[in-house]
Amino acid sequence: MRNLDFWVIAPYFNLFPEAVAITLKVGIGGFILAIILSIIAGSLRTRKLCKAVHFLLAAYVEFFRGTPLLVQLFIVYYGLPSFGIKIGPMTASIVTMGLNSGAYLSEVVRAAILSVDRGQYEASAMLGYNSLQTTMHIILPQALRIAVPSFMNGFSSMIKETSLISVLPVVELTKLGNQIYAKTYHPFEIYITMAIIYFVMTYSVTFFAKCLERRLSIWVN
Amino acid sequence: MGELIKISNLSKSFGDIKVLHSLDMQVESGEVVAIIGASGSGKSTLVRCIAGLEPVSGGEILLDGVPVVNTASTNGKVGMVFQNFNLFPHYTVGQNISMPLRTILKMKKELAAQKAKDLLNKVHILDKFEQYPNSLSGGQKQRLAIARALAMEPEIIIFDEPTSSLDPELAHEVFETIKDLAKEGQTMLIVTHQINAVRRFASRIVFLNKGKIEAQGTPDYIFNQIDNHDLKQFLRQVNFEDI
Ligand SMILES: Nc1ncnc2c1ncn2[C@@H]1O[C@H](COP(=O)(O)OP(=O)(O)O)[C@@H](O)[C@H]1O
Ligand SMILES: [Mg+2]
């Protein structure tokens, strides 16, 4: 067995901050987009709307849940330009990850909304809230409180899944690992280091999620 | 005093099950009407129709002369206090009152908070202002629900078994609050099994039997004068449970 030598990575340390920044940018950007999409799609799916809207929403969710993220990434980055829509690799990554995670999380939002007691709707209606006010002020805050743990899991998954965008011309963490490997041939040291960095990021999210849940639990039923 | 609610020929069915049978009833403003009757006799259905929470199957409910078809058509004139409170768990006790005022009536923050304080003081839970409803006792929860309904200044407040999920002492607190409102002339419609609690301040008692009004009148008339077999049997039963 060969001796481990983590020092071979040292000359490339200056490249890490940039790669971490890109990973975080895509992870956070995609997550924010996913939150917005999931709240909109999830709320709409619990309402009585015309069939066409429901069909489109269902198609969106099923498509992104039923196909591989990597293929979705290729469709957005390589496929859209043939329709005249040209976007950079970063934007393509954020949009794809956001759409993908948004599809999963919209189901979480929908289930959370349906789990809010019917009495909340009746109490709101009797006080004079209209339907939109009821959703925005009464139902969504309670539903999102229920959805927080799933959202945080989604964020954590998203950070890990950003490694897939290494197939696009973007130097995020995994791509950087590949590049250093090509120059040093020390795969174990390199990928262990990358794994540790990913772990620190996802663990921070988990830690933050625990704090958030504890804060929100003061008003839980 | 004018007629606030006029119900004529009201019927209500759920699918094939007929729950209310061409019912007529009036409520004048200032009246406190108690609705009693066995479980399943249609009390909740009746008050939910009046509140606009259930569509009627036949007949008409007029509120201030305007037909009630849904909650929007009651236009904030009807307040409702539910058996299981239905407080907003994500709002503090104070916000349960102030937020509806701000959201619906666009009231200024300070003004809404002041109104919340006044109402909480009135139902004796001002000290809970900053807490969340989950820290309140059942009786305090129901008194908050009453204060929240009062904040919108409804012309009538409907109570559907407000004390059924409470221990007797806590139910007593709630009835004291309702009695105070009765003294102030608040129009109320109260569905309850605790007839001994409401007979002291109800202006009229309506006995609902199998979806029909079997008897109605002053508490004295209902308890002492009228000779109705189903009513007597019902009163015996509830009195027995009350002990
Ligand atoms: N949403 C509903 N769907 C079907 N049946 C109902 C519904 N609500 C009430 N009922 C029926 O209507 C009858 C009267 O119910 P309810 O008004 O709740 O009576 P009460 O409040 O006097 O106990 C009961 O037989 C009940 O099963
Ligand atoms: Mg009932």
Side-chain angles (χ1 to χ4, degrees):
Chain A
M1 202 187 106
R2 215 179 63 186
N3 283 335
L4 290 179
D5 180 10
F6 278 90
W7 283 113
V8 297
I9 312 169
Y12 304 97
F13 271 170
N14 60 328
L15 298 173
F16 276 67
E18 169 87 26
V20 169
I22 289 177
T23 294
L24 284 176
K25 231 189 228 168
V26 173
I28 293 171
F31 183 57
I32 291 171
L33 182 60
I35 291 178
I36 297 168
L37 286 173
S38 66
I39 292 175
I40 295 172
S43 317
L44 287 177
R45 292 193 81 188
T46 62
R47 292 175 152 255
K48 287 198 191 82
L49 297 166
C50 71
K51 276 220 172 71
V53 175
H54 274 295
F55 178 79
L56 284 176
L57 288 169
Y60 158 60
V61 172
E62 294 311 327
F63 175 78
F64 279 93
R65 294 202 314 170
T67 56
L69 177 56
L70 194 56
V71 173
Q72 295 162 12
L73 209 51
F74 287 152
I75 293 173
V76 172
Y77 184 65
Y78 296 112
L80 289 187
S82 37
F83 295 95
I85 306 166
K86 211 165 155 34
I87 49 176
M90 283 291 285
T91 316
S93 304
I94 291 173
V95 167
T96 312
M97 310 250 352
L99 282 165
N100 179 280
S101 174
Y104 282 95
L105 291 178
S106 74
E107 289 293 281
V108 170
V109 171
R110 173 159 83 151
I113 287 175
L114 293 176
S115 75
V116 175
D117 192 85
R118 281 233 56 85
Q120 295 289 308
Y121 292 88
E122 296 192 344
S124 309
M126 290 317 297
L127 289 167
Y129 283 86
N130 64 32
S131 161
L132 184 66
Q133 289 169 331
T134 304
T135 301
M136 300 306 285
H137 294 274
I138 306 301
I139 306 302
L140 271 184
Q142 298 183 52
L144 295 182
R145 157 76 187 79
I146 296 167
V148 161
S150 303
F151 269 101
M152 287 303 163
N153 275 337
F155 190 20
S156 191
S157 301
M158 170 121 29
I159 288 174
K160 290 180 282 182
E161 284 162 2
T162 55
S163 73
L164 281 178
I165 69 170
S166 61
V167 298
L168 302 187
V170 181
V171 186
E172 43 64 70
L173 261 182
T174 301
K175 178 72 121 322
L176 178 64
N178 294 345
Q179 290 177 345
I180 301 173
Y181 168 56
K183 287 178 180 149
T184 62
Y185 294 101
H186 276 70
F188 189 77
E189 291 89 335
I190 293 162
Y191 291 115
I192 276 289
T193 306
M194 297 307 170
I196 291 170
I197 297 174
Y198 278 114
F199 181 77
V200 169
M201 290 193 277
T202 56
Y203 194 78
S204 311
V205 171
T206 312
F207 180 78
F208 172 72
K210 286 268 173 335
C211 298
L212 188 63
E213 277 171 53
R214 211 170 307 129
R215 274 207 58 166
L216 288 171
S217 69
I218 53 170
W219 56 260
V220 83
N221 276 328
Chain B
M1 289 216 170
E3 216 162 56
L4 185 59
I5 291 171
K6 184 168 166 56
I7 299 170
S8 12
N9 207 18
L10 171 67
S11 307
K12 172 70 186 174
S13 310
F14 292 105
D16 291 336
I17 311 161
K18 224 166 176 223
V19 177
L20 299 176
H21 304 269
S22 37
L23 203 135
D24 293 308
M25 180 178 162
Q26 283 85 273
V27 179
E28 316 234 308
S29 82
E31 265 194 305
V32 178
V33 179
I35 300 178
I36 60 173
S39 171
S41 57
K43 305 181 297 295
S44 293
T45 305
L46 172 59
V47 293
R48 288 173 59 82
C49 284
I50 297 172
L53 288 169
E54 294 283 354
V56 307
S57 312
E60 182 174 62
I61 299 171
L62 295 180
L63 172 67
D64 267 344
V66 180
V68 175
V69 288
N70 53 34
T71 48
S73 63
T74 63
N75 206 8
K77 288 177 180 173
V78 180
M80 182 106 180
V81 174
F82 302 86
Q83 179 179 341
N84 51 355
F85 325 122
N86 292 334
L87 296 170
F88 300 136
H90 60 303
Y91 286 158
T92 62
V93 167
Q95 287 170 335
N96 261 272
I97 299 173
S98 63
M99 289 310 286
L101 291 171
R102 292 175 58 192
T103 306
I104 300 160
L105 304 181
K106 311 288 174 215
M107 199 182 265
K108 288 259 179 323
K109 190 176 177 185
E110 298 74 30
L111 215 62
Q114 191 52 53
K115 184 151 184 180
K117 282 179 184 157
D118 293 344
L119 285 161
L120 289 173
N121 191 32
K122 183 171 170 147
V123 299
H124 312 296
I125 47 170
L126 182 53
D127 56 318
K128 309 287 182 196
F129 189 83
E130 302 275 359
Q131 294 180 24
Y132 283 88
N134 62 358
S135 66
L136 302 182
S137 75
Q140 291 167 335
K141 281 180 183 164
Q142 200 56 299
R143 283 181 283 145
L144 170 57
I146 294 171
R148 183 180 66 173
L150 282 172
M152 308 311 288
E153 299 178 7
E155 295 194 17
I156 179 167
I157 302 182
I158 296 175
F159 298 77
D160 190 2
E161 306 207 21
T163 58
S164 295
S165 59
L166 303 180
D167 293 336
E169 321 88 81
L170 301 182
H172 177 75
E173 292 175 5
V174 172
F175 274 117
E176 286 301 307
T177 302
I178 296 175
K179 196 173 80 183
D180 290 344
L181 294 179
K183 275 188 204 141
E184 293 171 17
Q186 172 74 50
T187 314
M188 292 184 282
L189 202 52
I190 307 167
V191 174
T192 184
H193 283 290
Q194 262 117 341
I195 44 184
N196 284 322
V198 285
R199 68 187 289 185
R200 293 175 290 138
F201 57 84
S203 35
R204 180 154 53 102
I205 294 180
V206 172
F207 174 54
L208 211 60
N209 191 21
K210 300 188 184 108
K212 286 188 179 133
I213 293 179
E214 180 94 20
Q216 62 175 314
T218 60
D220 179 50
Y221 177 74
I222 291 288
F223 281 92
N224 307 321
Q225 298 177 28
I226 188 173
D227 189 26
N228 178 301
H229 174 75
D230 286 340
L231 175 60
K232 287 234 156 108
Q233 191 178 342
F234 172 73
L235 289 178
R236 257 198 307 278
Q237 225 171 333
V238 213
N239 262 326
F240 190 67
E241 282 167 12
D242 249 4
I243 302 163

